[in-house]
Amino acid sequence: MNRRHLRFFAALSAAVFPLTSAAADALSTGAWSGYAAADARLFPEAGLYTDQRQAFVGFSAQPEYYTAWDGDNQSLTVTGFARLDLQDETRSHLDLRELVWRITRDDWQLKAGISRVFWGVTESRHLVDVINQTDAVEGLDGEDKLGQAMANLALYSDWGTLNLFWLPDFRERTFPGEEGRLRPALPVDMAQARYQSAAGRHHQDFAARWTHAFDIDALEAGLDVGVSHFQGTSRTPGYVAFVDDGGRITLAPYYDQISQTGLDLQLTTDAWLWKLEAITQDAKTADRHTEAVGGFEYTFVGVMESDADVGLISEYLFDDRGDSSPQPFDNDVMIGARVTLNDVQSTEFIVGGIVDLESHSTVLSVEGSRRIGESWKLSIEGRAYANIDAADPLYPWRREHVLSIEMARYF
Amino acid sequence: MLLTALCASPLLWGPTPEARADAYAGMDPEQKGLAIAQEADKRDTGFVDMTADMRMVLKNRHGESSERQMRMRTKEVSGDGDMSLSVFDTPHDVKGTAMLTHSHALEADDQWMYLPALKRVKRIASRNKSGPFMGSEFAFEDLGSQEVEKYAYKWLRDEELDGHPTHVVERYPKYDYSGYTRQVAWMDKGMMQPLKVDYYDRKNDLLKTQTFSGYNQYLDQFWRPNRMYMINHQTHKSTELSWSNYQFRVGLKERDFDRSGLKRAR
């Protein structure tokens, strides 16, 4: 090793050593949290397809490690997730929900790694929320998301926050197995996933979102606005049928290239929340279309002289593709109630239904949770389907009534 | 003991309570009540920002208890209510949940919540100031910043409370959806901070009593209690708040109290 190399290594180690020792300090001051849970999913009716089971027992865990340094201006978050399903082995999976470094300065913040992002305001559907892939074998509400590789730069100003995203690696949607429930009519073979882009899952996706909170003094209201644009691989697959090696007709997920612009608004005044989410999406292999969800939540506080709050929620769901839409909510109304007991156990539940105004196809839903003791939490989630029209995309799910019960231990 | 000694020292207090009492001479009870509230507000102005840890112990009528821990950050806003951010550490299932409040004197507060499980920021309707905070006996309005304009006042009398000279001031919430018809506050004449508050419900029945203790002075000006105890006389449930690690002027920025600041608060 010549002198120049020596100098280089000396400089390098001088630069790296404080970094590693800072990192070591940070790691030693970090903290673990998370949960481990057992759950059961019960389907009262037999499935439409042979071999489908009616009861599933599973275990899941989501440990998280967080450490911060530089006066909390830098942090590292690592969140793992594991699911073990004793009946449907395709539901068993591991995911790195987060592995992300964050640096915050006065007017900007950068996040790099694997992370999760949520956009939007409405209850019945999440239209503008497009960054992360849905972990579709998890919760029934589609709110569980897979980790997404990203670099996210946030710029703060008096004009709001601008978030820029570079999304270099695509995650495929998860699907239940053949013995599983809540699956399409034909089995889905994830290994056969196809892409519109020749770059496949390595297509480089980009997104931007501007958000701002306004005061509207005339209405004594606050207005939260988000405008977003996404350019890249659709998180929602279409399907192409093919004949597999065994001669069976099987579905392959097909991921189109889309360009989607979204708007989300929430007007908050007194006991009213007025909400709107709308997207317009253009796809490489489909015409431009528009979807929207809008409505309100009105909260009665301290009902009947108790501590409980009851919120009435109603939203209208629209899709200009109408009956030809691959998703079921094209001209539907959601009505629901959120009950928050405001008790020591933080008991809350939300019940509701979405009715198609033309076919009267109806999805009923209940979600609730309650803390038990200091560290346990009991959650229930249920769905039922009624009057499902043969032309409705939910028709294959007409018998998939389900009740899921989960007991989680938080640490 | 220490508290009594400090309160008795005129050096710490500028005008003695007796001298200040003259300032209220000739006022009617409403004017005097307001003047006392303004004096208390003036004494507590200028702290700039503050952080503190809070431990909350909830007890039901059978003595069973439950605990919550959170960290609070507050930034003073001149001409309006303060901004505050609370982050929960326990119970574990709500760890990382953060609540951001921009409080206002008369309008409803602006309030956002960050739910870490979904990474979701939700703006919440803030009419519910009378609702319980995390299942405790404290309502949101009991913990919010106490702006002078939030109440109308009436001085009732001066009396000693546990050996401390106090002004007893009645205050009437101006906020339409307050859970109270009135509150009676015993203001320590030395610190100009409350030692006790009685809360009367919408039917004007005594609902709760809050007592404050373990006051310490920070930056030679600002008094903060180490302990607040709230007993509900109607349900016999109680909540004790223990405050620790008060720090002032730590350099919090407005940015820490906007929507984007919520997501990185933990």
Side-chain angles (χ1 to χ4, degrees), chain B residues 191-252:
Chain B
M191 297 186 292
M192 291 304 276
Q193 285 280 344
L195 296 179
K196 179 169 116 168
V197 178
D198 280 341
Y199 296 86
Y200 292 83
D201 66 14
R202 288 180 183 132
K203 291 184 223 132
N204 204 16
D205 292 330
L206 179 62
L207 176 63
K208 306 187 290 193
T209 298
Q210 181 180 9
T211 47
F212 303 74
S213 56
Y215 273 104
N216 286 306
Q217 196 178 27
Y218 300 86
L219 304 180
D220 293 331
Q221 184 181 353
F222 309 104
W223 292 92
R224 291 291 180 273
N226 284 338
R227 184 174 174 272
M228 293 180 188
Y229 180 75
M230 184 76 89
I231 174 89
N232 186 314
H233 302 294
Q234 297 180 3
T235 63
H236 306 287
K237 292 193 275 189
S238 69
T239 299
E240 181 172 341
L241 305 186
S242 307
W243 296 86
S244 59
N245 200 17
Y246 280 114
Q247 292 186 45
F248 290 81
R249 295 181 185 165
V250 293
L252 299 179

Side-chain angles (χ1 to χ4, degrees), chain A residues 35-97:
Chain A
Y35 68 84
D39 69 83
R41 269 190 181 187
L42 307 168
F43 293 81
E45 285 196 56
L48 288 167
Y49 317 108
T50 49
D51 297 337
Q52 279 189 306
R53 292 171 176 263
Q54 285 182 259
F56 298 80
V57 174
F59 301 92
S60 63
Q62 182 167 289
E64 175 169 324
Y65 180 81
Y66 174 83
T67 183
W69 63 99
D70 184 18
D72 276 349
N73 286 314
Q74 294 190 59
S75 66
L76 176 73
T77 309
V78 186
T79 310
F81 177 81
R83 142 85 47 202
L84 176 67
D85 189 306
L86 300 181
Q87 280 74 35
D88 180 5
E89 63 179 26
T90 23
R91 273 189 83 209
S92 298
H93 65 295
L94 293 172
D95 185 44
L96 194 54
R97 297 285 203 235

Side-chain angles (χ1 to χ4, degrees), chain A residues 214-291:
Chain A
F214 295 93
D215 285 325
I216 300 187
D217 292 334
L219 297 172
E220 285 191 30
L223 180 67
D224 292 290
V225 179
V227 178
S228 52
H229 187 78
F230 171 87
Q231 191 84 42
T233 309
S234 174
R235 273 49 181 155
T236 308
Y239 300 96
V240 286
F242 70 103
V243 179
D244 73 4
D245 296 342
R248 292 188 321 160
I249 300 175
T250 304
L251 296 178
Y254 176 77
Y255 296 97
D256 209 345
Q257 285 295 306
I258 61 164
S259 162
Q260 174 173 314
T261 307
L263 169 72
D264 59 280
L265 297 174
Q266 183 177 313
L267 186 76
T268 308
T269 172
D270 198 15
W272 292 93
L273 308 178
W274 294 95
K275 301 174 174 189
L276 175 72
E277 285 191 31
I279 57 161
T280 169
Q281 186 189 94
D282 197 15
K284 278 270 160 56
T285 61
D287 292 336
R288 176 172 288 277
H289 81 276
T290 302
E291 292 174 67

